[in-house]
Amino acid sequence: MIVAELLRQTKKTLFSFELLPPLKGKNIREIYDAVNPLMEFDPSYINVTYHREEVVYKKRPDGFLEERTIRKRPGTVGISAAIMHKYNVEVVPHIICSGFNRQETEDALIDLNFLGIHNILVLRGDPDKTLKTFIPAEGGHRYASELIEQVNNLNQGRYLDEDLADPTPTKFSIGIAGYPEKHPESPNFDTDIKILKNKIASGGEYIVTQMFYDNRHYFSFVEKCRNEGIDVPIIPGIKPISMKSHINLLPRSFYIDIPVELSSEIDKCRNNNEASEAGVEWAIMQAKELKEAGVPSIHFYTMGRSANIFKIASEVY
Ligand code: FAD
């Protein structure tokens, strides 16, 4: 089923969640252990993130540092296919510009097509952690919109190799990211929404939002989008706080605001277990309000942990 179609047709708020591939060397059992309990809530689709390679520095015995480039979380395509077949559920692998050239991207899309995976979330991807700004890979894309164009071309049977005889068109359906508190690199909100509108015009069929902790950000973002003529489904993304340190780390990493009521609740917690309980309570409150407002789906960021998502889904679905 095409996720965009599902979102357009649904009369109730659907349940979906996002998984990270396990760290290199770990077992796929980790993923199944995270998915198993959540299947009780009949997820409409499961997203699987994509990760660029990272530069790490290892200290050598002679004291010098050796630079190595490693991909810590490979396996997005394989995990998506494994989950789809094991649970008979729709999967949405993410496809990113970051760290990939057009040829590598085309190869990944061809693999997905052969596996029968036709829903993708198209993103620019995070920059290299050692750099402040995003630099595309040589022969890669600078913006998500350019990657959308490549997918559109494949959907029309236009591969990078122009000499193919009778090439088969793919049939990817595209979701994109949106930012209720503005993308950090955008000069202002209006520009950000205009760029979002262009991504929709290029082929984005629905929007999944960055996490937020104050639903007013989401409601006002939806209003801005509708005023600009963006009429596709906008799926709120919810990430429950699960550690005390999150109240500082999340704003720093994702440029989002933590409301004072939540940060003071977390401040009072004596340990991470208490912080996780407070995070679950907050997410339940957010999700119930979003559901009452009739959002087409709520998308939960699991970050590899499903126990807290289980507690929230038990209260909300
Ligand atoms: P873009 O749409 O390319 O936008 C990036 C910036 O460039 C924005 O400031 C935008 O306003 C600006 N811009 C865009 N197009 C143009 C243009 N034509 N001209 C001028 N400016 C322009 N990262 C990963 O690495 N892997 C993942 O799996 C992943 N999953 C994610 C899932 C969700 C739901 C979200 C919200 C984010 C995810 N990210 C992931 C992080 C994401 O890649 C970053 O937030 C990234 O910085 C931006 O991605 P984007 O697709 O929104 O980029």
Side-chain angles (χ1 to χ4, degrees):
M1 179 79 172
I2 293 301
V3 167
E5 202 50 46
L6 206 61
L7 294 168
R8 275 195 293 269
Q9 285 174 8
T10 187
K11 303 260 182 293
K12 60 173 192 172
T13 299
L14 305 174
F15 169 65
S16 67
F17 60 91
E18 174 182 297
L19 297 166
L20 272 68
L23 287 167
K24 193 188 277 187
K26 298 281 179 192
N27 199 291
I28 195 160
R29 193 73 255 157
E30 265 188 24
I31 288 286
Y32 296 153
D33 288 346
V35 175
N36 284 339
L38 299 181
M39 290 312 291
E40 181 179 329
F41 306 104
D42 196 17
S44 301
Y45 53 95
I46 299 174
N47 283 46
V48 184
T49 57
Y50 219 121
H51 299 265
R52 61 165 296 138
E53 77 288 319
E54 290 174 38
V55 175
V56 292
Y57 294 92
K58 293 255 174 203
K59 197 161 189 177
R60 294 194 321 210
D62 61 9
F64 284 102
L65 290 178
E66 183 183 316
E67 186 182 294
R68 288 196 200 159
T69 303
I70 54 167
R71 190 180 312 283
K72 290 185 180 167
R73 293 183 186 274
T76 301
V77 171
I79 283 168
S80 301
I83 292 173
M84 181 173 82
H85 288 292
K86 184 172 167 66
Y87 298 100
N88 192 23
V89 65
E90 207 53 67
V91 287
V92 186
H94 297 184
I95 292 287
I96 59 174
C97 312
S98 191
F100 294 93
N101 64 35
R102 287 170 173 75
Q103 196 61 59
E104 290 162 337
T105 296
E106 185 174 276
D107 290 348
L109 290 167
I110 289 171
D111 282 345
L112 291 173
N113 190 47
F114 284 153
L115 288 162
I117 296 173
H118 304 298
N119 290 292
I120 50 175
L121 195 74
V122 173
L123 303 137
R124 185 194 70 182
D126 292 324
D128 179 334
K129 287 197 176 84
T130 57
L131 302 171
K132 284 209 172 72
T133 48
F134 178 82
I135 299 180
E138 207 180 322
H141 300 295
R142 177 172 294 277
Y143 298 118
S145 53
E146 296 174 358
L147 178 45
I148 294 174
E149 204 182 309
Q150 182 174 6
V151 177
N152 286 338
N153 284 340
L154 272 189
N155 280 348
Q156 287 165 29
R158 288 207 298 272
Y159 290 65
L160 295 174
D161 181 352
E162 290 159 0
D163 300 327
L164 301 179
D166 197 18
T168 311
T170 56
K171 46 177 182 180
F172 288 109
S173 167
I174 300 169
I176 57 169
Y179 301 84
E181 294 174 69
K182 186 181 93 56
H183 187 267
E185 294 162 37
S186 280
N188 53 61
F189 230 128
D190 286 353
T191 308
D192 210 30
I193 302 279
K194 286 204 168 72
I195 282 167
L196 189 60
K197 191 176 177 185
N198 289 342
K199 284 202 283 185
I200 298 294
S202 322
E205 292 169 73
Y206 62 96
I207 297 164
V208 185
T209 79
Q210 182 60 280
M211 66 192 75
F212 55 87
Y213 292 90
D214 182 338
N215 286 351
R216 284 174 299 182
H217 291 307
Y218 170 80
F219 293 128
S220 121
F221 174 67
V222 172
E223 197 182 331
K224 283 192 180 85
C225 288
R226 301 303 181 225
N227 289 343
E228 197 55 42
I230 296 173
D231 59 0
V232 299
I234 303 179
I235 312 307
I238 297 288
K239 179 191 157 20
I241 284 191
S242 56
M243 287 188 236
K244 274 177 78 75
S245 58
H246 276 163
I247 55 167
N248 300 112
L249 285 178
L250 297 175
R252 204 183 309 148
S253 306
F254 299 102
Y255 304 90
I256 46 152
D257 232 34
I258 308 276
V260 67
E261 298 89 329
L262 176 57
S263 63
S264 44
E265 274 309 306
I266 302 290
D267 262 345
K268 283 187 228 152
C269 297
R270 286 165 300 178
N271 52 46
N272 282 339
N273 283 344
E274 288 186 8
S276 180
E277 283 307 313
V280 164
E281 285 310 312
W282 189 269
I284 290 172
M285 182 271 292
Q286 277 194 281
K288 281 187 172 169
E289 191 186 26
L290 291 164
K291 196 171 168 218
E292 268 167 37
V295 300
S297 178
I298 304 176
H299 190 68
F300 291 93
Y301 293 102
T302 67
M303 312 297 274
R305 295 186 188 85
S306 58
N308 52 359
I309 309 298
F310 183 89
K311 287 182 195 159
I312 299 161
S314 305
E315 290 292 324
V316 178
Y317 288 94

